[in-house]
Amino acid sequence: MRANIPWRPVRLCTALALALAVSACGDRAEKAAEGEEPATAAADYERGPHRGRMLRDGDFALEITLYEEGPAPLFRLYPYMKDKPLDPKDVRVAIELRRLGPKIDKFTFTPEADYLASPAIVHEPHSFDVSVTAREGGRSHAWSYASYEGRTTISPDAARAGGVTTARAGSAILGESLPLNGRVEITPEGKSDVIARYPGRVMSMNAELGQRVRRGQVLARVESSESLQTYSVTAPIAGVIVEKNVTVGGITGAEAMLVIADPTRLHAEFFLYPRDAERVRVGQPVEITSLAGDHRLVSRIEAILPTADLTNQTLVAHVPLTGPAETWRPGLGVKGTASVGATPAALAVHTKAIQPFRDFEVVYQKVGNTYEVRMLEIGRRTPEWTEVLGGLDPGAEYVVDGAFLIRADIDKSGASHDH
């Protein structure tokens, strides 16, 4: 006996694209043409005393429940004769679940208390075509029905209009990254003190803060206190005067008269905390971004200095900066992302493909024009890739872009978690 179950059609009604709404009727016609078994709403079948699905054949009935209060979902079957409980020892039952793919899960049952139980787990998603056979009192019974969740069918035209793209699950290289904070500084080679060769009085000075000077340019004349001879003080490097410590008439000695900095010779100084220091190495690539997000470049760590602060035990990583002088300003903060490792994953999916579904993280697998959730067991995760430890087969085609459209259509269809 085959259960004759009414069907509520799955309609694709979304305002995201007019083409999607127009294609809904085409989807339904396509399903009918392909002979698909439609999804069943929770109210469309009889429920038994344990809130399970009642299957009837004459005076014999079998209530199928999915027990989900333990560590894993298991079938529990309750037999009845003329609506009264029947000793489960007098009944033999087998169930086959045909999944999208296709894949078939088989279950055999043994009596336990007042029900029949199977040790096999009913794995997620609980979406399948069900075949049930039973034997009692020398009589045989058979039923079949569809029990779908997280499944919908969308035509190729509607999927294209909704921006749905797919990829095949396979191996990937997972790049491990480390976020860093730092600031822009002038390199040691790009900064120089201007010091008088001999102590004396400053007789004249041709230098102002912010003034750009060239290497060898005369900046001051000093009268030696010892010889009373006047000599010239020149710029040791080209750059901009950033400090001025003496004026005309002042006495200069071993301290710097002026400080010159070359604003084109810059690096980023990133602070490394002890928990991260062991993962960072010279030569690793770093993506550097200004705090406003306007400027971005990729460079490499050129040096890691030892502990600079005995209190917080931080290390400092130096990363060269290139580009126009106005792009990076000394003293301003920057953000960095260091690539600290790359390891292979035997099976991975694009991170952006992962969506929430009930209490799970899922992707939507595509088989023909049908899409269905796949609950994932997730390992390592990066912005680009996520390692899959279970729940998806290698080579499976899954939705990368447009997964929100699939989820919206499933929500509208009412293909919810119900048994």
Side-chain angles (χ1 to χ4, degrees):
M1 172 179 175
R2 183 177 178 86
N4 207 3
I5 302 170
W7 175 44
R8 182 174 64 194
V10 176
R11 297 181 183 273
L12 181 59
C13 302
T14 174
L16 294 175
L18 179 60
L20 301 184
V22 172
S23 67
C25 293
D27 286 346
R28 294 195 298 276
E30 181 179 321
K31 292 178 185 178
E34 293 177 357
E36 289 189 14
E37 185 74 28
T40 303
D44 290 337
Y45 58 80
E46 179 189 355
R47 289 189 179 274
H50 301 90
R51 301 299 299 158
R53 181 188 292 262
M54 287 292 285
L55 304 177
R56 293 184 179 274
D57 187 8
D59 292 334
F60 178 70
L62 188 67
E63 182 182 4
I64 298 184
T65 71
L66 194 59
Y67 183 76
E68 298 184 273
E69 297 180 14
L74 302 171
F75 276 127
R76 284 187 178 181
L77 313 182
Y78 296 86
Y80 302 91
M81 180 61 69
K82 297 182 179 180
D83 289 329
K84 293 184 179 180
L86 183 65
D87 189 339
K89 295 178 183 177
D90 298 333
V91 182
R92 287 184 296 165
V93 180
I95 290 180
E96 287 188 356
L97 306 179
R98 184 177 295 274
R99 296 180 178 272
L100 185 68
K103 177 183 177 184
I104 298 177
D105 298 339
K106 297 183 177 182
F107 299 80
T108 57
F109 296 84
T110 56
E112 185 175 321
D114 62 340
Y115 56 85
L116 292 154
S118 174
I121 296 172
V122 186
H123 293 285
E124 298 278 5
H126 296 160
S127 183
F128 24 65
D129 293 298
V130 186
S131 296
V132 183
T133 58
R135 187 168 180 80
E136 53 78 31
R139 295 176 290 271
S140 296
H141 312 272
W143 303 268
S144 62
Y145 60 91
S147 180
Y148 299 157
E149 71 160 337
R151 180 189 291 196
T152 190
T153 298
I154 300 177
S155 71
D157 289 343
R160 281 192 295 271
V164 175
T165 65
T166 63
R168 296 280 180 180
S171 61
I173 300 298
L174 274 64
E176 298 180 52
S177 60
L178 177 68
L180 302 173
N181 292 308
R183 63 173 177 260
V184 178
E185 297 288 357
I186 295 174
T187 65
E189 299 79 10
K191 200 170 185 179
S192 181
D193 293 340
V194 179
I195 301 175
R197 295 193 303 275
Y198 310 107
R201 184 178 301 278
V202 178
M203 305 304 293
S204 64
M205 178 169 284
N206 180 28
E208 299 295 340
L209 283 174
Q211 177 183 340
R212 182 172 292 276
V213 298
R214 65 183 183 278
R215 182 180 179 183
Q217 179 178 334
V218 175
L219 303 178
R221 293 187 63 82
V222 177
E223 180 184 72
S224 170
S225 299
E226 184 175 333
S227 66
L228 299 181
Q229 297 294 313
T230 301
Y231 63 91
S232 299
V233 178
T234 60
I237 63 171
V240 176
I241 297 174
V242 295
E243 290 185 30
K244 183 177 180 181
N245 301 317
V246 296
T247 58
V248 175
I251 302 299
T252 183
E255 74 281 0
M257 300 172 58
L258 306 164
V259 177
I260 300 173
D262 183 349
T264 66
R265 306 180 72 172
L266 302 173
H267 64 197
E269 294 185 359
F270 290 108
F271 311 107
L272 307 177
Y273 294 97
R275 66 178 181 273
D276 301 324
E278 294 299 320
R279 305 170 62 194
V280 179
R281 299 286 185 274
V282 171
Q284 288 174 339
V286 179
E287 183 179 49
I288 304 170
T289 309
S290 63
L291 292 183
D294 300 329
H295 306 296
R296 186 185 305 268
L297 68 83
V298 176
S299 187
R300 291 184 178 272
I301 297 174
E302 66 175 358
I304 299 176
L305 304 187
T307 301
D309 190 325
L310 295 177
T311 303
N312 57 31
Q313 295 291 295
T314 56
L315 304 182
V316 178
H318 285 185
V319 182
L321 293 172
T322 58
E326 62 273 11
T327 300
W328 309 102
R329 299 285 187 176
L332 294 183
V334 288
K335 295 180 292 185
T337 302
S339 298
V340 296
T343 55
L347 186 62
V349 296
H350 289 276
T351 298
K352 66 179 179 179
I354 298 175
Q355 301 290 315
F357 184 86
R358 300 203 328 260
D359 296 330
F360 300 96
E361 289 186 290
V362 307
V363 293
Y364 292 95
Q365 183 174 346
K366 180 178 184 289
V367 179
N369 294 330
T370 301
Y371 301 81
E372 188 175 82
V373 293
R374 291 293 179 263
M375 287 71 171
L376 302 182
E377 181 184 352
I378 286 176
R380 296 163 294 166
R381 193 192 305 254
T382 71
E384 183 178 7
W385 295 102
T386 294
E387 182 180 26
V388 176
L389 303 178
L392 189 68
D393 294 329
E397 187 177 5
Y398 67 97
V399 175
V400 178
D401 298 301
F404 66 92
L405 169 66
I406 310 301
R407 181 183 177 187
D409 200 40
I410 288 172
D411 290 343
K412 290 178 183 296
S413 74
S416 60
H417 187 65
D418 187 85
H419 308 284

